[in-house]
Amino acid sequence: MTTIINLTDKTVKIMRNDGTGAILPPCGVVAYIPASYKRLTTKDGIEYLTAGYGTVQGIPAPDEGIVYFVEYEVWERVMLKRSDVVTYGEKIFDKHGNYLYCRGVTYNGKV
């Protein structure tokens, strides 16, 4: 059996094929991409910045039977190197645009 650890700051709800749901509470560690900013100019009181991004932080080393759930931006940076990292599958929203759950997960590799 695979254990999915949620490395985001929000509860993730995943709908299984059989219609049951999996609820993944945040584990307390958040995977992220550090950024540094430099102001280019200011117009109408709004700063226009340029950003530089570092390497992904907060994802533990691979561990047998463990899959790490991260935000899409983080997953996009590690997907070619880490088959044990997944992100949202198809997101489902209510009529007001509120996130309800995702249908499956997106990954690159074998789980």
Side-chain angles (χ1 to χ4, degrees), residues 4 11-16 19-25 99 101-102:
I4 303 175
T11 297
V12 174
K13 299 172 189 170
I14 302 172
M15 185 63 66
R16 295 185 179 102
T20 62
I23 297 177
L24 307 176
Y99 165 74
Y101 60 89
C102 63

Side-chain angles (χ1 to χ4, degrees), residues 5-86:
I5 297 176
N6 179 2
L7 297 176
T8 74
D9 61 352
K10 56 186 79 67
T11 297
V12 174
K13 299 172 189 170
I14 302 172
M15 185 63 66
R16 295 185 179 102
N17 287 341
D18 65 5
T20 62
I23 297 177
L24 307 176
C27 75
V29 174
V30 175
Y32 67 98
I33 304 167
S36 59
Y37 297 92
K38 179 181 176 185
R39 184 175 64 180
L40 296 176
T41 189
T42 300
K43 295 181 182 179
D44 300 321
I46 298 173
E47 292 185 347
Y48 287 73
L49 310 170
T50 184
Y53 298 96
T55 58
V56 171
Q57 303 293 311
I59 301 177
D63 192 0
E64 187 69 32
I66 303 292
V67 172
Y68 300 103
F69 189 98
V70 299
E71 294 291 351
Y72 179 79
E73 295 82 3
V74 172
W75 176 79
E76 190 174 42
R77 296 285 293 273
V78 301
M79 69 178 192
L80 296 177
K81 300 174 190 166
R82 299 282 302 262
S83 62
D84 62 330
V85 178
V86 300

